[in-house]
Structure formats: structure tokens, C-alpha cells
Amino acid sequence: MEEHTGDEEARRGGPGGPAAPGAGTPASGMSRRRLGARLLALGGVLVLHAALPGAAGASGNPAERRALQGLRLRYGSARQAGLVEKHLEAAADEARRFLGPSPEHPYYAGAVVLAGRGRTIALHRAMGEAVRYADYDGRTDRVREFPAAQRIPMTEDTVFDLASLTKLFTSLLAVQQMERGHLELEAPVDRYLPEFTGGGKELITVRQLLTHTSGLRSWAPFYQQSTREGQLRMLWAVRPQEAPGTVYRYSDLNLIALQLLLERITGHTLDLLLQDEITAPLGMHRTRYNPPLSWRRITAATEVQRPPWSGLDRGLVWGEVHDENAYALGGVAGHAGVFGTAWDLAVLARTLLDGGAYAGKRILRPSSVELLFTDFNTAFPGDDHGLGFELYQHWYMGAMATPHSAGHTGFTGTSLVLDPSTDSFLILLGNSVHPVRTWRAGSAPRVAVGNRFARAVPVRTKHGGPAWYSGMETGGSGTLTLPPLTPATAAARLRCAVWWDTVPGEGALHLEASADGETWEPLPFTTLRSTGGSPEQWPQGSVGGWSGRIWHRLEAPLTAWAGRPVHLRFRHTATGRYVGRGVYVDVVRVAEPARLLFAEDRPADASRLEATGWTRATD
């Protein structure tokens, strides 16, 4: 069955859409959307090869220097990682919560959660069981559990079937070949695989395979073919459902085709490429295809596979790949089949966050890593995608999602999220198809854990004290209202510091004014980044999206209120299924040339603020 079905359904079930104008732009430099568009406009392969040899300034990057000096991941405290301990522990609590009814059955039998920042792993926790269920009866929805003595508890070192996280490894191998000049991003696939033609397939490019814009259907039942030749004939016979480049559709076929391409141009099978080019250099000794039998008791079991919910009748799948097509392909496939541990994925995360190097070993150039995280799908808002990596996806990243966040999920219950803007990473591995895939749907644990971990990355004020915080409640809203003021002149201004991160189009900070405290109207304002630049205008009196993890100076003229009382308030809204990191407001002042009308840092004024849904927070 299709490897990504459940996760893609969860994604499509949630609201989405393009970022609001002015939102989602990095604090400095070119936005990822603009970079992707420029690469395409100029001819991706030419720009790629021009950019690859030693990105400008890369040798001066402190993170890269540390990586090449041989520094490795280490365990440490939340404080050593620059994280807030209570929120970090809450992330582990969220993961544990889904061991219970979610809402009827457990979401997974067990899980491992790992989170870190910089080179410090501050959370690595195992919970539940790696092996619990012996059989499942689909007619009655009942399971047969192993006796307690035969169950295997989850440990931090449990090996998981990573499912579609495999696609990331295949993509890394492809980019390595681009670095070496053996593969071109914008070349048609049939240049390397002459059999990959017919019905418009000859128009599909390597980039379209990596970004799921080939137009191919999501899946095909290769397991129904008993021979390799039959499986290949099925792939060669597939035709695009839409013209390549005109639609985004997540498809296992893209990565299966990319596997065959890589094997053709290198002369090596994908499992050997993975070992030689990625796992051996990085010391990822528990990551591989087709784990040996000796690994079975340290591996999490997956599904009891029987028709009709599975295309094969295999019974309990344990120690072998879960995906039916990957199994039929001998366990080695471009879309699924890799097994690994949370620690090994943390090594991969650190490698990418450090520009492609770890512990003195380089697997990619910094410019190649930048391309992995560049949005090439600017024509498909909401389906942001780099080379293999999904970008800015709240449906499983939760509040970790920013315009810089990259990651992927796997159908068995796995996920990886990297956030370069905070130098942090989160790995959640669960055996969520154990005992059967129909017991769970969506990405609730991933979102819940991602929200808590995002909260663990603190937001600090310049003065070090607390600020007003909106919180991160789904569907939450609140107001922060100043006492009535009467400006004497048209020169009066409201000024404060603001920081925001909301889901584009589904959350915002509003500034409003009222004559009577009952009927409110938007109050236009400007913001200026603390890092400098030009002021941004917000004529609708609201701002949302991502502020770049920096504070902005907000200024709102009160020209229209000269000589008459005005009520002022901040209002935050979160209307969708997902939330961002929230909104902060700090050091609120209203002044005119001759006097200070309101100052939050004056105790008498602060006591007159009315907060509903806002709290004071130091992080």
C-alpha cells in the first residue's frame, strides 16, 4: 500500500495556504521562495554547478568550522542546550500521552523522542513497548498481545523502520552525484534511464522527482509482480496523470525512479551507496537497509499485515520492511526501507545544520545543503519542498514550522524536523502501525511534541524581564487593553516591541482603537526590525506569519485621536488547527512631545492594563 497515505491525508485535512504578504521572509538575505524562483528562472542546473564549489563565506561559518574540527553530539542539560527545561519535559509528556487512547486506541505501542539544540541532546526518552501485539483480527478489531514476559520495552537505542524518511537519504545521494557532475538537476530523467519514457515521462526532470512535481500518480502495486522484470515493466508503463511541472502530488514512484537512476549512473545498488556515502562516513552504525536477524530483538515491530488493509499476507512484520512495495523490491527502495535509531538521525540532523559535515567528515558542501532547504515549489503555495525535504509544514512540525524548517515523516510513525533558525532538531519515532495502520490517523503526536519543543526554545527580551505573551492554544484569542487616554496633539504615538510567529492566514496580532471601548477599528502601524532595515507598513492594523525570530519596534500614530479619549488594545487570534510559537508584546508606551501618557514600566500604569488570554512570560 502507499507509504505516505495516512500522513498525506492528515496534511490535506488541515487548512493551509500561502503566507501573507510580508510574512515568512528571513531576517536577512534572500527568501527561500525567491531563491528557488531565481534558480528556476536562470536554469537550475547551470546555477547549481556555479554555486556548488565552496559557498562564499562558508569557510568562515562557525558551525561549519566546529563540524570540521571533529566535534560531536553530546548529552547535556536543557540549560546547556539553551532550552527551557519545563517545556522540554512537557514535550516528553506529550509523547507519552499518546500511549493511551487516542481517542480510542493507542496512537502507538511505544515511542522514542529526541530533541536538541546546537551540539547538545537535552532530551532522549523511550516510552512504551517496541513489541507488544502478536496478532490482529480485522473482523472484530481485536488483538492478541504477547504475554508480558515476551514483550520488549522501548529503549533509546531501539531500531525503527524509518519508512518515508528513506526518501531523504535517497535525495542526499542524488545531490552528492550533482556535486560530482554526474547528475544534472534540470536534466530529463530519460537521459540517464532511457526506459523512462512514453506518455510524457520524457519531459520529467530530476528536480521534479525530488520535489514531487512529476505528475506521476502516488503509488503502484509493484508487490503484485513476482519478478524484478515485471516490476520494472510496471514502472516503465506508468504515464503522468498531469503534465510534468503543473501539479504537486506526493509520489513514491518519484523516489523509486530516482533509485534506479542512481544505481544506473553509479553502478552500485542503493544500499551500498547509503553505506559508503552517508552512514559509514558519519558513523551511523545503526542505519541501513535490510537489518540482519541479530537486530530483531532491538527493532520495533510494525504491522500485522493481512488483506484487506494490506496488499500482502505476512502476519506480524518485525525486523523486515513494512512497506509492501519496498519488501517486494528486496527491501532496498528509494522511497522506503531504511532502518535506524533516533541517535543516528540526530547525527544526520547535526550534519545538515552544520552545512554537510560532522565530526570532521563531509558528505555535502554547504551550498548543496542550502539547495536541500530551498523551496523549488513556489508555484504550489503550501506545498513548499526542497530537494527531498518538506518545508514549513505545520501539519506535522507544529510550532517548529518556520520558513526555514525542513523535515519529513514516515508512515510507520516516524518524523524528523530541523530548524536552522534556532539550530534545533526534533525526532519522534513511534511504531504507530503496530498492530494495524487503521488504529491511528493524522499527526497529532508530532504536532503536540513539536509545539512543546518550540516553546522550549526561549524568546528573550532585551531587558531580560518578562513580556506579555499570547500563548499557543489552538483556537485561542485574547486582548491586552490599555486604560483610556486622551492625546493632546496629533503627534501622539503608541510604541512597543513585538515578536510574532503565527500560521499564515490563520493567526495574527491586531492593534485596535475605540472611542467607547465597545466598537473597535484597526489602527495602522509600522514595524522596524531590531536588526535594521526599512520600516514595514501594516495599513490593516494586523501582522501575522513569521517575524524572523527577532524583535520589531512597532509604532502607531494616534493622529485621528487628538483631543479626544481613545481606548487601545492588542488582540491575538489563532483560528486554525495549528498554531505558531505565538505573539509577544513588550514595553508599551504612549507619548507625545510634551508628555508621557502611558508607560508599562511605571507600576501605576501597568496595574491598569487589562489582560484576557495574555500572560507575563520570561521565555
Side-chain angles (χ1 to χ4, degrees):
M1 303 298 286
E2 181 189 349
E3 173 69 20
H4 203 258
T5 301
D7 293 330
E8 188 69 6
E9 286 176 353
R11 179 188 187 284
R12 295 298 178 188
T25 303
S28 62
M30 185 181 296
S31 76
R32 188 162 52 202
R33 283 191 180 277
R34 290 174 58 202
L35 174 59
R38 181 170 294 185
L39 284 166
L40 296 182
L42 296 178
V45 65
L46 298 177
V47 177
L48 174 65
H49 284 300
L52 285 179
S59 60
N61 184 300
E64 186 194 3
R65 287 203 304 270
R66 290 194 298 269
L68 291 175
Q69 288 168 358
L71 299 180
R72 300 173 181 270
L73 287 169
R74 62 181 184 271
Y75 287 110
S77 66
R79 183 172 183 177
Q80 288 171 323
L83 299 169
V84 180
E85 184 174 7
K86 65 179 180 180
H87 299 307
L88 192 63
E89 285 299 318
D93 292 340
E94 288 288 356
R96 189 174 294 106
R97 180 166 62 89
F98 289 89
L99 295 171
S102 307
E104 182 179 356
H105 301 293
Y107 188 92
Y108 36 51
V112 175
V113 59
L114 183 151
R117 191 178 187 194
R119 270 176 178 67
T120 302
I121 293 177
L123 176 67
H124 193 185
R125 204 72 52 80
M127 55 202 69
E129 293 167 312
V131 182
R132 176 175 175 178
Y133 304 105
D135 207 347
Y136 172 77
D137 185 342
R139 295 167 301 177
T140 62
D141 191 31
R142 292 182 180 179
V143 295
R144 179 169 61 85
E145 299 186 4
F146 284 107
Q150 295 180 26
R151 298 181 194 176
I152 299 177
M154 198 70 77
T155 71
E156 286 86 352
D157 299 322
T158 294
V159 175
F160 285 81
D161 178 342
L162 299 179
S164 280
L165 294 190
T166 299
K167 293 178 172 70
L168 301 182
F169 292 101
T170 308
S171 302
L172 294 176
L173 292 169
V175 174
Q176 286 179 335
Q177 294 304 311
M178 294 177 199
E179 283 190 349
R180 297 166 191 176
H182 301 153
L183 184 63
E184 293 186 1
L185 185 62
E186 294 300 331
V189 176
D190 69 350
R191 178 187 298 180
Y192 310 99
L193 281 177
E195 305 92 332
F196 193 80
T197 188
K201 284 212 304 293
E202 61 275 3
L203 301 177
I204 296 174
T205 66
V206 173
R207 171 177 56 81
Q208 289 165 350
L209 295 182
L210 285 161
T211 59
H212 296 286
T213 55
S214 67
L216 295 176
R217 66 177 186 258
S218 298
W219 173 83
F222 294 104
Y223 59 83
Q224 293 179 355
Q225 300 294 322
S226 59
T227 65
R228 181 77 167 186
E229 292 74 18
Q231 294 163 354
L232 290 176
R233 281 196 302 271
M234 179 175 286
L235 181 62
W236 306 146
V238 168
R239 300 291 184 262
Q241 293 182 318
E242 292 88 10
T246 64
V247 66
Y248 171 87
R249 180 187 299 110
Y250 183 93
S251 172
D252 289 347
L253 303 187
N254 291 323
L255 276 295
I256 293 173
L258 188 61
Q259 169 196 358
L260 298 175
L261 185 158
L262 290 171
E263 292 180 340
R264 183 73 58 86
I265 66 177
T266 65
H268 298 290
T269 57
L270 198 63
D271 54 340
L272 291 178
L273 288 173
L274 175 69
Q275 177 181 332
D276 294 345
E277 304 290 352
I278 299 178
T279 60
L282 297 180
M284 298 169 62
H285 301 306
R286 288 294 187 186
T287 301
R288 59 169 293 167
Y289 285 101
N290 286 328
L293 185 61
S294 60
W295 284 24
R296 192 169 190 247
R297 289 197 59 81
I298 61 169
T299 300
T302 54
E303 188 173 34
V304 177
Q305 288 195 347
R306 303 193 194 284
W309 61 86
S310 171
L312 297 175
D313 191 349
R314 300 168 62 192
L316 177 62
V317 179
W318 179 17
E320 292 182 313
V321 63
H322 167 267
D323 181 83
E324 294 95 331
N325 279 337
Y327 176 73
L329 292 167
V332 179
H335 72 293
V338 172
F339 286 69
T341 63
W343 177 273
D344 276 8
L345 287 176
V347 169
L348 179 67
R350 192 66 259 158
T351 301
L352 296 175
L353 288 170
D354 281 346
Y358 178 79
K361 302 291 185 180
R362 176 168 296 287
I363 64 166
L364 285 175
R365 296 170 183 165
S367 49
S368 298
V369 175
E370 178 66 22
L371 287 177
L372 291 172
F373 298 164
T374 293
D375 180 23
F376 287 93
N377 283 3
T378 56
F380 310 105
D383 291 317
D384 304 29
H385 217 289
L387 301 185
F389 281 82
E390 298 172 334
L391 312 173
Y392 203 15
Q393 298 298 317
H394 287 88
W395 67 273
Y396 71 89
M397 297 178 179
M400 282 192 74
T402 76
H404 294 284
S405 297
H408 214 284
T409 64
F411 187 72
T412 52
T414 59
S415 61
L416 166 69
V417 182
L418 315 176
D419 181 14
S421 70
T422 59
D423 199 28
S424 62
F425 49 93
L426 174 65
I427 295 150
L428 179 62
L429 306 179
N431 52 356
S432 64
V433 296
H434 184 54
V436 67
R437 68 191 70 181
T438 56
W439 271 21
R440 71 98 167 103
S443 285
R446 296 167 178 146
V447 172
V449 176
N451 285 348
R452 292 295 186 179
F453 181 58
R455 184 77 169 89
V457 180
V459 175
R460 302 299 192 199
T461 60
K462 184 177 180 179
H463 54 78
W468 288 103
Y469 178 49
S470 69
M472 295 171 55
E473 294 300 319
T474 303
S477 64
T479 56
L480 183 65
T481 307
L482 278 66
L485 305 170
T486 304
T489 71
R493 297 285 189 273
L494 178 148
R495 295 185 177 94
C496 65
V498 294
W499 188 108
W500 69 89
D501 174 20
T502 69
V503 179
E506 298 175 11
L509 168 67
H510 306 267
L511 180 59
E512 298 171 323
S514 171
D516 57 9
E518 298 292 335
T519 303
W520 297 87
E521 61 185 61
L523 181 62
F525 58 86
T526 62
T527 57
L528 179 65
R529 295 170 179 269
S530 59
T531 53
S534 301
E536 293 182 86
Q537 306 289 331
W538 306 99
Q540 302 302 315
S542 65
V543 63
W546 191 66
S547 67
R549 283 203 70 84
I550 58 174
W551 286 89
H552 295 236
R553 178 182 175 84
L554 180 150
E555 181 171 314
L558 301 178
T559 308
W561 298 93
R564 58 193 185 110
V566 60
H567 300 253
L568 301 170
R569 75 177 185 184
F570 299 92
R571 180 169 60 88
H572 77 86
T573 56
T575 59
R577 291 179 60 184
Y578 309 111
V579 295
R581 179 63 174 76
V583 177
Y584 291 83
V585 172
D586 191 33
V587 193
V588 181
R589 292 192 172 201
V590 180
E592 51 192 356
R595 60 179 180 144
L596 186 61
L597 300 175
F598 178 89
E600 183 192 345
D601 50 354
R602 295 192 304 203
D605 286 348
S607 66
R608 300 174 66 199
L609 276 169
E610 295 183 8
T612 302
W614 293 73
T615 59
R616 298 286 279 170
T618 57
D619 51 28

PDB file of all heavy atoms in Angstrom, residues 188-198 201-203 235-237 239 257 260-261 264-265:
ATOM      1  N   PRO A 188      16.381  15.865 -18.141  1.00  0.00           N
ATOM      2  CA  PRO A 188      15.292  14.880 -18.173  1.00  0.00           C
ATOM      3  C   PRO A 188      15.776  13.542 -17.632  1.00  0.00           C
ATOM      4  O   PRO A 188      16.924  13.147 -17.836  1.00  0.00           O
ATOM      5  CB  PRO A 188      14.944  14.793 -19.659  1.00  0.00           C
ATOM      6  CG  PRO A 188      16.177  15.248 -20.373  1.00  0.00           C
ATOM      7  CD  PRO A 188      16.822  16.269 -19.486  1.00  0.00           C
ATOM      8  N   VAL A 189      14.905  12.854 -16.933  1.00  0.00           N
ATOM      9  CA  VAL A 189      15.272  11.588 -16.317  1.00  0.00           C
ATOM     10  C   VAL A 189      15.697  10.579 -17.381  1.00  0.00           C
ATOM     11  O   VAL A 189      16.605   9.766 -17.155  1.00  0.00           O
ATOM     12  CB  VAL A 189      14.092  11.041 -15.479  1.00  0.00           C
ATOM     13  CG1 VAL A 189      14.417   9.665 -14.902  1.00  0.00           C
ATOM     14  CG2 VAL A 189      13.749  12.026 -14.362  1.00  0.00           C
ATOM     15  N   ASP A 190      15.076  10.621 -18.564  1.00  0.00           N
ATOM     16  CA  ASP A 190      15.398   9.604 -19.566  1.00  0.00           C
ATOM     17  C   ASP A 190      16.799   9.765 -20.150  1.00  0.00           C
ATOM     18  O   ASP A 190      17.261   8.898 -20.874  1.00  0.00           O
ATOM     19  CB  ASP A 190      14.332   9.550 -20.663  1.00  0.00           C
ATOM     20  CG  ASP A 190      14.325  10.784 -21.558  1.00  0.00           C
ATOM     21  OD1 ASP A 190      15.024  11.776 -21.230  1.00  0.00           O
ATOM     22  OD2 ASP A 190      13.607  10.762 -22.579  1.00  0.00           O
ATOM     23  N   ARG A 191      17.492  10.864 -19.832  1.00  0.00           N
ATOM     24  CA  ARG A 191      18.904  10.957 -20.207  1.00  0.00           C
ATOM     25  C   ARG A 191      19.716   9.880 -19.507  1.00  0.00           C
ATOM     26  O   ARG A 191      20.695   9.362 -20.068  1.00  0.00           O
ATOM     27  CB  ARG A 191      19.470  12.332 -19.867  1.00  0.00           C
ATOM     28  CG  ARG A 191      20.958  12.482 -20.185  1.00  0.00           C
ATOM     29  CD  ARG A 191      21.521  13.783 -19.688  1.00  0.00           C
ATOM     30  NE  ARG A 191      20.900  14.953 -20.300  1.00  0.00           N
ATOM     31  CZ  ARG A 191      21.243  16.201 -20.002  1.00  0.00           C
ATOM     32  NH1 ARG A 191      22.193  16.442 -19.089  1.00  0.00           N
ATOM     33  NH2 ARG A 191      20.630  17.211 -20.587  1.00  0.00           N
ATOM     34  N   TYR A 192      19.305   9.539 -18.306  1.00  0.00           N
ATOM     35  CA  TYR A 192      20.019   8.543 -17.515  1.00  0.00           C
ATOM     36  C   TYR A 192      19.314   7.192 -17.521  1.00  0.00           C
ATOM     37  O   TYR A 192      19.944   6.151 -17.335  1.00  0.00           O
ATOM     38  CB  TYR A 192      20.155   9.037 -16.071  1.00  0.00           C
ATOM     39  CG  TYR A 192      20.690  10.444 -15.980  1.00  0.00           C
ATOM     40  CD1 TYR A 192      19.822  11.522 -15.787  1.00  0.00           C
ATOM     41  CD2 TYR A 192      22.043  10.701 -16.119  1.00  0.00           C
ATOM     42  CE1 TYR A 192      20.304  12.819 -15.720  1.00  0.00           C
ATOM     43  CE2 TYR A 192      22.535  12.000 -16.049  1.00  0.00           C
ATOM     44  CZ  TYR A 192      21.668  13.050 -15.859  1.00  0.00           C
ATOM     45  OH  TYR A 192      22.144  14.342 -15.804  1.00  0.00           O
ATOM     46  N   LEU A 193      17.998   7.217 -17.693  1.00  0.00           N
ATOM     47  CA  LEU A 193      17.187   5.998 -17.762  1.00  0.00           C
ATOM     48  C   LEU A 193      16.395   6.035 -19.074  1.00  0.00           C
ATOM     49  O   LEU A 193      15.262   6.518 -19.116  1.00  0.00           O
ATOM     50  CB  LEU A 193      16.204   5.943 -16.587  1.00  0.00           C
ATOM     51  CG  LEU A 193      16.705   5.517 -15.214  1.00  0.00           C
ATOM     52  CD1 LEU A 193      15.577   5.597 -14.197  1.00  0.00           C
ATOM     53  CD2 LEU A 193      17.274   4.108 -15.242  1.00  0.00           C
ATOM     54  N   PRO A 194      16.966   5.562 -20.153  1.00  0.00           N
ATOM     55  CA  PRO A 194      16.267   5.635 -21.446  1.00  0.00           C
ATOM     56  C   PRO A 194      14.916   4.927 -21.441  1.00  0.00           C
ATOM     57  O   PRO A 194      14.036   5.276 -22.232  1.00  0.00           O
ATOM     58  CB  PRO A 194      17.251   4.952 -22.404  1.00  0.00           C
ATOM     59  CG  PRO A 194      18.586   5.109 -21.756  1.00  0.00           C
ATOM     60  CD  PRO A 194      18.331   5.025 -20.279  1.00  0.00           C
ATOM     61  N   GLU A 195      14.732   3.964 -20.546  1.00  0.00           N
ATOM     62  CA  GLU A 195      13.461   3.249 -20.476  1.00  0.00           C
ATOM     63  C   GLU A 195      12.341   4.118 -19.895  1.00  0.00           C
ATOM     64  O   GLU A 195      11.160   3.807 -20.050  1.00  0.00           O
ATOM     65  CB  GLU A 195      13.599   1.986 -19.612  1.00  0.00           C
ATOM     66  CG  GLU A 195      14.705   1.030 -20.052  1.00  0.00           C
ATOM     67  CD  GLU A 195      16.021   1.314 -19.344  1.00  0.00           C
ATOM     68  OE1 GLU A 195      16.253   2.482 -18.951  1.00  0.00           O
ATOM     69  OE2 GLU A 195      16.807   0.376 -19.173  1.00  0.00           O
ATOM     70  N   PHE A 196      12.715   5.185 -19.221  1.00  0.00           N
ATOM     71  CA  PHE A 196      11.760   6.044 -18.534  1.00  0.00           C
ATOM     72  C   PHE A 196      11.192   7.049 -19.536  1.00  0.00           C
ATOM     73  O   PHE A 196      11.552   8.228 -19.554  1.00  0.00           O
ATOM     74  CB  PHE A 196      12.459   6.755 -17.364  1.00  0.00           C
ATOM     75  CG  PHE A 196      11.520   7.419 -16.387  1.00  0.00           C
ATOM     76  CD1 PHE A 196      10.873   6.681 -15.419  1.00  0.00           C
ATOM     77  CD2 PHE A 196      11.295   8.797 -16.423  1.00  0.00           C
ATOM     78  CE1 PHE A 196      10.026   7.284 -14.499  1.00  0.00           C
ATOM     79  CE2 PHE A 196      10.448   9.410 -15.516  1.00  0.00           C
ATOM     80  CZ  PHE A 196       9.813   8.655 -14.559  1.00  0.00           C
ATOM     81  N   THR A 197      10.305   6.583 -20.385  1.00  0.00           N
ATOM     82  CA  THR A 197       9.759   7.426 -21.438  1.00  0.00           C
ATOM     83  C   THR A 197       8.359   6.963 -21.796  1.00  0.00           C
ATOM     84  O   THR A 197       7.892   5.926 -21.320  1.00  0.00           O
ATOM     85  CB  THR A 197      10.679   7.402 -22.669  1.00  0.00           C
ATOM     86  OG1 THR A 197      10.237   8.374 -23.617  1.00  0.00           O
ATOM     87  CG2 THR A 197      10.688   6.025 -23.317  1.00  0.00           C
ATOM     88  N   GLY A 198       7.687   7.746 -22.627  1.00  0.00           N
ATOM     89  CA  GLY A 198       6.341   7.384 -23.066  1.00  0.00           C
ATOM     90  C   GLY A 198       5.272   8.124 -22.290  1.00  0.00           C
ATOM     91  O   GLY A 198       5.343   8.254 -21.057  1.00  0.00           O
ATOM     92  N   LYS A 201       6.470  11.017 -20.032  1.00  0.00           N
ATOM     93  CA  LYS A 201       7.510  10.829 -18.997  1.00  0.00           C
ATOM     94  C   LYS A 201       8.846  11.411 -19.430  1.00  0.00           C
ATOM     95  O   LYS A 201       9.664  11.775 -18.581  1.00  0.00           O
ATOM     96  CB  LYS A 201       7.693   9.340 -18.659  1.00  0.00           C
ATOM     97  CG  LYS A 201       6.602   8.751 -17.802  1.00  0.00           C
ATOM     98  CD  LYS A 201       7.104   7.648 -16.864  1.00  0.00           C
ATOM     99  CE  LYS A 201       7.817   6.519 -17.553  1.00  0.00           C
ATOM    100  NZ  LYS A 201       6.922   5.719 -18.412  1.00  0.00           N
ATOM    101  N   GLU A 202       9.069  11.499 -20.745  1.00  0.00           N
ATOM    102  CA  GLU A 202      10.349  12.028 -21.230  1.00  0.00           C
ATOM    103  C   GLU A 202      10.522  13.503 -20.874  1.00  0.00           C
ATOM    104  O   GLU A 202      11.635  14.038 -20.952  1.00  0.00           O
ATOM    105  CB  GLU A 202      10.466  11.832 -22.743  1.00  0.00           C
ATOM    106  CG  GLU A 202       9.401  12.527 -23.559  1.00  0.00           C
ATOM    107  CD  GLU A 202       8.116  11.720 -23.695  1.00  0.00           C
ATOM    108  OE1 GLU A 202       8.019  10.621 -23.091  1.00  0.00           O
ATOM    109  OE2 GLU A 202       7.196  12.189 -24.382  1.00  0.00           O
ATOM    110  N   LEU A 203       9.449  14.165 -20.431  1.00  0.00           N
ATOM    111  CA  LEU A 203       9.537  15.571 -20.025  1.00  0.00           C
ATOM    112  C   LEU A 203       9.859  15.735 -18.543  1.00  0.00           C
ATOM    113  O   LEU A 203      10.144  16.848 -18.091  1.00  0.00           O
ATOM    114  CB  LEU A 203       8.215  16.283 -20.333  1.00  0.00           C
ATOM    115  CG  LEU A 203       7.779  16.281 -21.804  1.00  0.00           C
ATOM    116  CD1 LEU A 203       6.416  16.956 -21.941  1.00  0.00           C
ATOM    117  CD2 LEU A 203       8.812  16.976 -22.680  1.00  0.00           C
ATOM    118  N   LEU A 235       6.739   0.045 -13.880  1.00  0.00           N
ATOM    119  CA  LEU A 235       7.201   1.423 -13.767  1.00  0.00           C
ATOM    120  C   LEU A 235       7.342   2.060 -15.148  1.00  0.00           C
ATOM    121  O   LEU A 235       6.930   3.212 -15.355  1.00  0.00           O
ATOM    122  CB  LEU A 235       8.543   1.481 -13.035  1.00  0.00           C
ATOM    123  CG  LEU A 235       9.121   2.891 -12.846  1.00  0.00           C
ATOM    124  CD1 LEU A 235       8.195   3.750 -12.000  1.00  0.00           C
ATOM    125  CD2 LEU A 235      10.510   2.835 -12.217  1.00  0.00           C
ATOM    126  N   TRP A 236       7.907   1.338 -16.112  1.00  0.00           N
ATOM    127  CA  TRP A 236       8.079   1.905 -17.450  1.00  0.00           C
ATOM    128  C   TRP A 236       6.714   2.208 -18.089  1.00  0.00           C
ATOM    129  O   TRP A 236       6.610   3.133 -18.901  1.00  0.00           O
ATOM    130  CB  TRP A 236       8.857   0.962 -18.366  1.00  0.00           C
ATOM    131  CG  TRP A 236      10.189   0.487 -17.861  1.00  0.00           C
ATOM    132  CD1 TRP A 236      10.749  -0.740 -18.077  1.00  0.00           C
ATOM    133  CD2 TRP A 236      11.169   1.209 -17.084  1.00  0.00           C
ATOM    134  NE1 TRP A 236      11.983  -0.844 -17.486  1.00  0.00           N
ATOM    135  CE2 TRP A 236      12.271   0.340 -16.853  1.00  0.00           C
ATOM    136  CE3 TRP A 236      11.221   2.488 -16.537  1.00  0.00           C
ATOM    137  CZ2 TRP A 236      13.394   0.703 -16.140  1.00  0.00           C
ATOM    138  CZ3 TRP A 236      12.351   2.853 -15.804  1.00  0.00           C
ATOM    139  CH2 TRP A 236      13.408   1.983 -15.604  1.00  0.00           C
ATOM    140  N   ALA A 237       5.690   1.452 -17.698  1.00  0.00           N
ATOM    141  CA  ALA A 237       4.364   1.639 -18.300  1.00  0.00           C
ATOM    142  C   ALA A 237       3.583   2.794 -17.683  1.00  0.00           C
ATOM    143  O   ALA A 237       2.591   3.254 -18.255  1.00  0.00           O
ATOM    144  CB  ALA A 237       3.552   0.350 -18.180  1.00  0.00           C
ATOM    145  N   ARG A 239       2.258   6.352 -16.776  1.00  0.00           N
ATOM    146  CA  ARG A 239       2.191   7.607 -17.505  1.00  0.00           C
ATOM    147  C   ARG A 239       1.820   8.737 -16.543  1.00  0.00           C
ATOM    148  O   ARG A 239       1.034   8.535 -15.616  1.00  0.00           O
ATOM    149  CB  ARG A 239       1.136   7.525 -18.616  1.00  0.00           C
ATOM    150  CG  ARG A 239       1.420   6.431 -19.650  1.00  0.00           C
ATOM    151  CD  ARG A 239       2.645   6.775 -20.482  1.00  0.00           C
ATOM    152  NE  ARG A 239       2.891   5.803 -21.540  1.00  0.00           N
ATOM    153  CZ  ARG A 239       3.763   4.798 -21.440  1.00  0.00           C
ATOM    154  NH1 ARG A 239       4.441   4.627 -20.313  1.00  0.00           N
ATOM    155  NH2 ARG A 239       3.963   3.975 -22.459  1.00  0.00           N
ATOM    156  N   ALA A 257      11.958   5.798  -9.081  1.00  0.00           N
ATOM    157  CA  ALA A 257      12.649   6.137 -10.324  1.00  0.00           C
ATOM    158  C   ALA A 257      14.023   6.724 -10.039  1.00  0.00           C
ATOM    159  O   ALA A 257      15.013   6.409 -10.732  1.00  0.00           O
ATOM    160  CB  ALA A 257      11.805   7.113 -11.131  1.00  0.00           C
ATOM    161  N   LEU A 260      16.548   3.973  -9.279  1.00  0.00           N
ATOM    162  CA  LEU A 260      17.043   3.296 -10.478  1.00  0.00           C
ATOM    163  C   LEU A 260      18.043   4.164 -11.226  1.00  0.00           C
ATOM    164  O   LEU A 260      19.044   3.676 -11.758  1.00  0.00           O
ATOM    165  CB  LEU A 260      15.871   2.924 -11.378  1.00  0.00           C
ATOM    166  CG  LEU A 260      14.850   1.956 -10.770  1.00  0.00           C
ATOM    167  CD1 LEU A 260      13.674   1.761 -11.725  1.00  0.00           C
ATOM    168  CD2 LEU A 260      15.491   0.622 -10.429  1.00  0.00           C
ATOM    169  N   LEU A 261      17.775   5.463 -11.267  1.00  0.00           N
ATOM    170  CA  LEU A 261      18.695   6.400 -11.904  1.00  0.00           C
ATOM    171  C   LEU A 261      20.051   6.380 -11.203  1.00  0.00           C
ATOM    172  O   LEU A 261      21.108   6.298 -11.855  1.00  0.00           O
ATOM    173  CB  LEU A 261      18.068   7.791 -11.878  1.00  0.00           C
ATOM    174  CG  LEU A 261      18.770   8.945 -12.577  1.00  0.00           C
ATOM    175  CD1 LEU A 261      17.777  10.052 -12.890  1.00  0.00           C
ATOM    176  CD2 LEU A 261      19.893   9.522 -11.720  1.00  0.00           C
ATOM    177  N   ARG A 264      21.965   3.280 -11.846  1.00  0.00           N
ATOM    178  CA  ARG A 264      22.465   3.218 -13.227  1.00  0.00           C
ATOM    179  C   ARG A 264      23.739   4.045 -13.389  1.00  0.00           C
ATOM    180  O   ARG A 264      24.710   3.592 -14.001  1.00  0.00           O
ATOM    181  CB  ARG A 264      21.374   3.712 -14.179  1.00  0.00           C
ATOM    182  CG  ARG A 264      21.730   3.646 -15.656  1.00  0.00           C
ATOM    183  CD  ARG A 264      21.734   2.222 -16.183  1.00  0.00           C
ATOM    184  NE  ARG A 264      20.459   1.559 -16.014  1.00  0.00           N
ATOM    185  CZ  ARG A 264      19.430   1.633 -16.872  1.00  0.00           C
ATOM    186  NH1 ARG A 264      19.538   2.379 -17.964  1.00  0.00           N
ATOM    187  NH2 ARG A 264      18.317   0.951 -16.640  1.00  0.00           N
ATOM    188  N   ILE A 265      23.740   5.265 -12.854  1.00  0.00           N
ATOM    189  CA  ILE A 265      24.901   6.131 -13.108  1.00  0.00           C
ATOM    190  C   ILE A 265      26.095   5.805 -12.219  1.00  0.00           C
ATOM    191  O   ILE A 265      27.229   6.157 -12.559  1.00  0.00           O
ATOM    192  CB  ILE A 265      24.531   7.625 -12.962  1.00  0.00           C
ATOM    193  CG1 ILE A 265      24.173   7.972 -11.520  1.00  0.00           C
ATOM    194  CG2 ILE A 265      23.417   8.001 -13.921  1.00  0.00           C
ATOM    195  CD1 ILE A 265      23.872   9.458 -11.305  1.00  0.00           C
TER     196      ILE A 265
END
